[in-house]
Amino acid sequence: MAYEKRFDGRAFEDTREIDAKAGVVKNADGSAWFKIGKTEAIAAVYGPREIYPRFKQNAKEGVLQCFYNMMPFSGMGDRVRPGGNRRSKEISMVITNALKPALDLSEYPNSAIDVFIELPKTDAGSRCASICAAAIALADAGIPMKDVVSAVAVGIVDGTVLVDLDYAEEAFEGEVADIPIAVIPSTGELTLLQMDGRISKDNLIKALELGKQVSLKISEVQKKALKEVYEVQNEN
Amino acid sequence: MSSEIIAKEKDIVVPGEVLAVGMDFLPSNGTYRNGDKIMASTVGLVNIKGKVIKLIPLRGKYNPKVGDTVIGKVSDILFSGWKVDIGCTNDAVLPLQEASSDYIQRGADLTMYFDLGDYITCKITNVTSQKLIDISANGPGLRKLGTGRLMNVSCNKVPRIIGKQGSMVNTIKEHTGSKIIVGQNGVVWVKNEDPVKELLTAQAIKMIEDNAHTPGLTDKVTSFLSR
């Protein structure tokens, strides 16, 4: 039996509804809110600022530090224990690695750029939403970058290649592969590639191509959010 | 090969946007070259001067430049100088010989000159590749600030507050009679004997910061002040 119609009725190459806004945290140097379906992420950037502990500093370029945190009430099931855990530590690392290739931190030797990502609501694809939010926030903070990184999950559910799996699809009993990817839109470079499950080579190539196309659409939403900050000011 | 500019003058662009195609143009501040394209690397306003394309930044922390006059807060006292917080990653260092025109004895009590928490206007004399900053408080107009009102504005909006050849800040000074010092790092010091006028000055500066991207700002400020 093939997966012919998605649980929430959208087409296979459609993402959930996306929305984004820049400049939501007034005290931060740059910030953003990103929503995809029921998943929401708020990112706040502080810096460049002094780095502690001092042994982390790099005299050649700035250090990017991302902190991913799911809020206790964010899940659909039980309360998540507050504070870091193994999962959040790993995701913080992959987010840092996904954003770093797009940034130019040579202007900020011996300093840190801290990105705090909070998730008040999670369904699935929280690391992708975090990367999208963090990329907007970094651009809002005025950090030089090649492009605004966008991220989306692609995958396969019961033999069908599709984009942006939600929780019901991830939990589907059958053949499922969940592949979160992050893309630098202007060059098509992949900066994040992880996978849960199994997928054939042909389907993987198909899924990644689809993911790159969809990431361009997400990128448009991100860039619109960055510009909207100034449009509102113009109306006043 | 054909070259063309895609972005228009004074457009607001975001990172990754193509500004021009072809090798006939040169990327400057806030832009980079990717193959034959020139792309934006920060959020900013497009500024085209001949063949050079640059961005006027709209966001970001203060980037220290030699010769800038800034307002800083004394954050630490060293053996022979002071550390001054001017809103950069590292605090700037004010050496003893640059602090004052009179001779300071070795081992003198440095708090006599500048104490912790004092605000001073100073000039940046040197910036290293590692962003270590030297400043001087010895020169015309450079001094410790007395009583008054301090405001923090975004350092990217300082050029609008000053205006062309100081036109904006002079307009405010004429209308209110306040003393104003604008630091390039976004710290503004305002003083007026009349507290109402001091508040009005502060409101005018706040207004400029909020409406920094709109045209006809001088007229708006003038009408606001003469109300």
Side-chain angles (χ1 to χ4, degrees):
Chain A
M1 191 204 86
Y3 185 56
E4 278 165 357
K5 193 164 183 300
R6 291 180 86 162
F7 296 126
D8 53 3
R10 62 198 153 112
F12 292 116
E13 65 280 0
D14 276 358
T15 60
R16 290 166 284 175
E17 204 182 318
I18 310 172
D19 202 357
K21 206 176 167 195
V24 289
V25 183
K26 292 292 173 233
N27 284 341
D29 294 311
S31 59
W33 166 81
F34 187 88
K35 179 176 188 261
I36 180 159
K38 286 178 193 160
T39 305
E40 279 182 38
I42 298 168
V45 175
Y46 296 86
R49 63 181 182 185
E50 275 181 272
I51 182 165
Y52 293 108
R54 270 289 162 82
F55 67 79
K56 282 186 178 171
Q57 74 180 23
N58 182 347
K60 281 188 180 151
E61 58 173 20
V63 176
L64 179 71
Q65 295 179 312
C66 298
F67 301 93
Y68 165 101
N69 183 35
M70 264 167 81
M71 286 181 173
F73 48 83
S74 64
M76 286 185 296
D78 289 344
R79 175 175 182 267
V80 184
R81 241 178 114 80
N85 52 33
R86 244 190 219 202
R87 180 176 169 276
S88 74
K89 205 162 186 182
E90 186 210 308
I91 295 178
S92 300
M93 187 201 72
V94 299
I95 291 172
T96 312
N97 291 348
L99 294 167
K100 196 86 189 294
L103 300 178
D104 174 17
L105 302 179
S106 57
E107 281 285 301
Y108 312 115
N110 292 335
S111 48
I113 290 154
D114 292 331
V115 185
F116 295 97
I117 305 156
E118 296 287 333
L119 291 116
K121 234 168 129 184
T122 57
D123 182 30
S126 68
R127 76 192 66 190
C128 291
S130 304
I131 290 170
C132 290
I136 305 173
L138 283 164
D140 187 43
I143 311 291
M145 55 170 76
K146 276 201 261 183
D147 207 335
V148 185
V149 179
S150 50
V152 70
V154 292
I156 187 164
V157 176
D158 212 15
T160 313
V161 175
L162 42 76
V163 166
D164 192 26
L165 288 79
D166 61 18
Y167 185 75
E169 286 168 338
E170 268 183 12
F172 184 75
E173 279 183 46
E175 193 199 355
V176 174
D178 174 24
I179 310 169
I181 59 168
V183 187
I184 300 178
S186 58
T187 58
E189 279 174 86
L190 290 181
T191 58
L192 167 74
L193 182 61
Q194 290 185 302
M195 180 162 84
D196 258 349
R198 283 155 70 97
I199 193 166
S200 70
K201 190 182 168 189
D202 292 343
N203 278 338
L204 176 65
I205 294 167
K206 224 160 96 183
L208 291 182
E209 275 311 310
L210 195 60
K212 281 184 191 175
Q213 284 169 29
V214 171
S215 73
L216 290 177
K217 286 182 197 162
I218 298 174
S219 172
E220 272 170 35
V221 177
Q222 288 175 298
K223 286 174 181 172
K224 200 173 135 241
L226 279 168
K227 285 189 180 181
E228 266 173 3
V229 177
Y230 300 99
E231 277 165 20
V232 173
Q233 287 184 351
N234 283 341
E235 279 162 20
N236 289 338
Chain B
M1 200 168 66
S2 69
S3 297
E4 62 168 328
I5 295 180
I6 291 165
K8 284 197 288 291
E9 178 84 20
K10 286 200 173 168
D11 267 2
I12 291 169
V13 291
V14 295
E17 248 181 272
V18 180
L19 303 177
V21 182
M23 303 303 278
D24 283 356
F25 299 101
L26 293 169
S28 183
N29 285 358
T31 62
Y32 70 98
R33 181 174 285 289
N34 177 15
D36 66 339
K37 296 185 196 113
I38 291 177
M39 301 172 103
S41 66
T42 51
V43 181
L45 291 169
V46 180
N47 182 288
I48 303 161
K49 261 190 189 153
K51 287 187 169 186
V52 181
I53 300 176
K54 74 166 189 177
L55 292 186
I56 298 164
L58 291 171
R59 298 297 306 232
K61 276 203 163 179
Y62 173 61
N63 186 22
K65 276 194 270 313
V66 174
D68 278 2
T69 302
V70 294
I71 298 177
K73 184 185 182 185
V74 177
S75 62
D76 201 359
I77 299 172
L78 311 173
F79 267 117
S80 57
W82 293 263
K83 276 207 164 183
V84 182
D85 178 11
I86 58 168
C88 299
T89 310
N90 294 306
D91 287 353
V93 176
L94 173 61
L96 208 53
Q97 61 269 31
E98 298 282 357
S100 146
S101 51
D102 30 301
Y103 177 71
I104 301 172
Q105 191 88 40
R106 241 181 98 88
D109 183 12
L110 296 188
T111 57
M112 297 283 283
Y113 297 88
F114 302 122
D115 202 355
L116 291 174
D118 281 351
Y119 280 87
I120 48 176
T121 49
C122 42
K123 204 166 213 135
I124 297 177
T125 52
N126 195 15
V127 182
T128 69
S129 65
Q130 299 301 303
K131 304 279 171 187
L132 299 177
I133 308 156
D134 278 343
I135 52 173
S136 163
N138 186 6
L142 305 181
R143 60 187 171 94
K144 185 159 99 177
L145 292 175
T147 53
R149 184 183 289 254
L150 277 162
M151 298 174 68
N152 281 309
V153 298
S154 163
C155 66
N156 299 303
K157 283 152 191 176
V158 165
R160 291 311 299 264
I161 292 171
I162 294 172
K164 271 188 189 133
Q165 271 124 35
S167 63
M168 187 72 85
V169 80
N170 284 338
T171 312
I172 304 174
K173 277 180 187 169
E174 273 169 31
H175 276 84
T176 57
S178 307
K179 287 179 189 162
I180 305 172
I181 299 173
V182 185
Q184 289 291 329
N185 59 341
V187 183
V188 183
W189 178 83
V190 177
K191 193 187 179 179
N192 196 322
E193 297 304 326
D194 182 357
V196 179
K197 279 190 174 165
E198 191 174 288
L199 190 66
L200 188 72
T201 315
Q203 281 170 343
I205 290 167
K206 188 84 188 47
M207 197 180 101
I208 299 169
E209 196 202 358
D210 292 344
N211 300 297
H213 308 96
T214 52
L217 201 53
T218 316
D219 297 338
K220 266 187 208 166
V221 173
T222 316
S223 66
F224 172 77
L225 288 171
S226 35
R227 241 187 333 193

